[in-house]
Amino acid sequence: MKVPPKQHKRRRLGLGSGENGVTKRRAEYPNHVWSYDFAMDSTEDGRRLKVMPVVDEYTRECLSLEGSRSIKAKEVTDTLRRLFIERGEPDYIRSDNGPEFIAEALKEWLALSGVKTLYIEPGAPWENAYSETFISRMRDELLERELFVNLKEAQVLLEDYRKHYNHHRPHGALGYLTPAEFAALEVLSGQSSVPKEESKELQSVLRLSL
């Protein structure tokens, strides 16, 4: 029997190597790089549920987990405006090239806020790996397990999941601390750009966890 020639694995050029992907633009401290993306689901009546997590790539915290029938550029801006007030502005925010994220009004507002945008290569979701990983876990642990009766119930359960993820779920990449515990350590070591009010809250979280 003729033995087929050995097949060598093929390298796909450019995979994960985009200038704005996580490989070349890695977060180095809290509030350095945030990322966001969308996940789609539905409520019991079949109506669309659109979910938008915002993740701090360094601490792995889910900063916001919005659920709505529709999330457009205005709603994205409103969410970011609230987070900027609560936590301060990040240096960069990473996303794909979806119309909600590349809308001129949003880009102009981010520029005025001093936040630079990192748009990943089209068709390369792995370059937005932190958002993709969070969404994958959320889908396995929440979206695939819960049947949301209505939008309000979905919003309540999404917020419960966000709090559980931040405060009760150890993360291997963080030395098996929760994202909130890791963020608190960064605050105590003086490496964080989180406002003082947030620092006090995070220090309390850390003390309770020790």
Side-chain angles (χ1 to χ4, degrees), residues 129-180:
Y130 294 100
S131 283
E132 288 293 316
T133 297
F134 177 86
I135 288 173
S136 177
R137 289 173 177 164
M138 176 183 64
R139 187 169 298 282
D140 289 343
E141 298 169 359
L142 179 65
L143 301 185
E144 298 293 344
R145 295 187 180 188
E146 296 287 346
L147 182 61
F148 304 120
V149 174
N150 52 43
L151 178 60
K152 182 62 178 176
E153 182 183 63
Q155 291 170 336
V156 170
L157 291 176
L158 285 167
E159 181 61 12
D160 287 347
Y161 180 81
R162 186 187 75 85
K163 291 178 178 177
H164 176 81
Y165 181 90
N166 286 341
H167 295 278
H168 300 287
R169 182 187 177 122
H171 199 300
L174 304 178
Y176 294 97
L177 296 173
T178 66

Side-chain angles (χ1 to χ4, degrees), residues 179-198:
E181 289 167 348
F182 180 77
L185 282 176
E186 291 296 303
V187 169
L188 293 177
S189 65
Q191 298 300 311
S192 177
S193 58
V194 177
K196 291 182 179 179
E197 294 79 9
E198 187 75 7

Side-chain angles (χ1 to χ4, degrees), residues 63-74:
L63 309 179
S64 178
L65 190 55
E66 301 292 330
S68 187
R69 299 299 184 191
S70 175
I71 301 177
K72 297 183 179 179
K74 179 184 181 302

Side-chain angles (χ1 to χ4, degrees), residues 10 21 40 67 92 99 115 132 199 209:
R10 178 176 57 177
M40 305 303 296
Y92 298 91
V115 180
E132 288 293 316
S199 298
S209 67

Side-chain angles (χ1 to χ4, degrees), residues 54-97:
V54 181
V55 175
D56 184 310
E57 293 190 357
Y58 186 79
T59 66
R60 310 302 206 274
E61 293 171 282
C62 179
L63 309 179
S64 178
L65 190 55
E66 301 292 330
S68 187
R69 299 299 184 191
S70 175
I71 301 177
K72 297 183 179 179
K74 179 184 181 302
E75 288 74 33
V76 173
T77 304
D78 290 344
T79 295
L80 294 180
R81 181 179 289 112
R82 173 178 59 81
L83 290 175
F84 290 2
I85 293 171
E86 294 174 356
R87 303 181 61 92
E89 297 86 352
D91 294 340
Y92 298 91
I93 190 159
R94 193 188 324 269
S95 72
D96 62 24
N97 293 272

